[in-house]
Amino acid sequence: TEDVSTENTITEDVSDTPDIEIPSKKEWSVQVGNATVKVNGSADALPADAQLSVTEITSEDEVKEIEKAVEEKAIEEQFSIKNIFSYDIKFLVDGEEVQPGNSVKVAVTLNNEKKINDADVYHVDDENNIENMDGNVDKNGNVEFETTHFSTYVIVDNKRNGKINVTIEHYDGTTNPASKIYADDVRTLTIGQKVDCKKAENWDISK
């Protein structure tokens, strides 16, 4: 028995095959405060003269509204908030806001902060409705997410697992200034666990 291998050579005429154009990539970058914001996408995602504009939100009223929305989400999803960073991210052409034609990737580097291990990214609209953008943190601590629409984005440095320490203090409000009574009661709680502040190791308040 003899093994015979055959090889067929196929010749294809590619002279009429149209060239496939691969869109070129483009990066926009802005430094704002202690953060660097980079947007990467195809060059045709935005007009050629589009400029990236990033403003850190520091207005007391705006910050309070954002914090309230995030705190409600933290209670719902049971995570603790370590820090909140809020930015108004947008692209401008001649002063007018424009949106990308397709998805782009945003990376935020918080230069002077400790390395972030876990963070969520939320989009907050004008009505303070909040949407999780399914962001992630890369190995260098950069916060990344993808979007097709720019406005207010909030980075929440959080902790979903593990435990937190809570210190319960009790004061006598009939004195001026109020004076502390009893020793502090320090408890270790899991994220989302509730504590009855009327009952501690050192006291039990009842009517």
Side-chain angles (χ1 to χ4, degrees):
T1 304
E2 181 180 4
D3 290 335
V4 179
S5 63
T6 60
E7 180 177 348
N8 295 323
T9 302
I10 301 175
T11 303
E12 182 179 0
D13 184 4
V14 296
S15 58
D16 295 330
T17 302
D19 293 334
I20 299 175
E21 184 177 347
I22 301 175
S24 59
K25 300 293 184 179
K26 187 172 181 178
E27 179 179 274
W28 297 263
S29 180
V30 167
Q31 179 82 28
V32 52
N34 294 326
T36 302
V37 179
K38 295 181 179 180
V39 178
N40 283 274
S42 60
D44 60 355
L46 288 148
D49 55 347
Q51 299 293 318
L52 175 61
S53 171
V54 181
T55 305
E56 184 174 3
I57 297 175
T58 58
S59 167
E60 185 176 348
D61 290 341
E62 288 185 88
V63 169
K64 284 183 178 179
E65 290 295 329
I66 290 172
E67 288 179 344
K68 180 181 178 182
V70 172
E71 286 168 359
E72 291 175 355
K73 181 63 69 172
I75 294 172
E76 176 185 334
E77 298 186 0
Q78 296 191 353
F79 63 84
S80 63
I81 300 170
K82 296 171 67 177
N83 288 301
I84 296 177
F85 309 93
S86 305
Y87 301 97
D88 180 14
I89 305 175
K90 57 190 174 185
F91 277 91
L92 300 174
V93 174
D94 296 329
E96 296 294 328
E97 189 171 347
V98 295
Q99 299 294 345
N102 48 57
S103 180
V104 294
K105 185 176 183 178
V106 182
V108 181
T109 304
L110 302 168
N111 301 312
N112 290 347
E113 295 293 327
K114 293 181 180 179
K115 185 176 180 180
I116 292 179
N117 295 315
D118 190 13
D120 286 328
V121 179
Y122 295 100
H123 169 244
V124 182
D125 65 17
D126 294 337
E127 302 298 323
N128 289 317
N129 296 312
I130 190 167
E131 175 190 3
N132 194 324
M133 298 301 296
D134 295 323
N136 64 82
V137 180
D138 69 12
K139 62 181 180 180
N140 297 316
N142 301 316
V143 181
E144 300 178 332
F145 64 97
E146 293 189 5
T147 185
T148 57
H149 182 83
F150 285 101
S151 59
T152 298
Y153 285 94
V154 181
I155 298 172
V156 181
D157 183 9
N158 60 33
K159 186 176 182 180
R160 291 182 179 273
N161 300 310
K163 298 179 181 297
I164 57 174
N165 291 326
V166 176
T167 300
I168 303 174
E169 299 178 347
H170 192 70
Y171 288 83
D172 181 0
T174 63
T175 62
N176 188 13
S179 58
K180 181 186 287 189
I181 57 178
Y182 309 122
D184 292 348
D185 181 13
V186 180
R187 298 188 180 188
T188 300
L189 308 177
T190 56
I191 304 301
Q193 181 181 349
K194 296 181 179 180
V195 59
D196 184 359
C197 293
K198 291 185 177 181
K199 293 183 179 182
E201 291 183 0
N202 302 312
W203 67 81
D204 185 345
I205 301 174
S206 60
K207 293 184 178 180

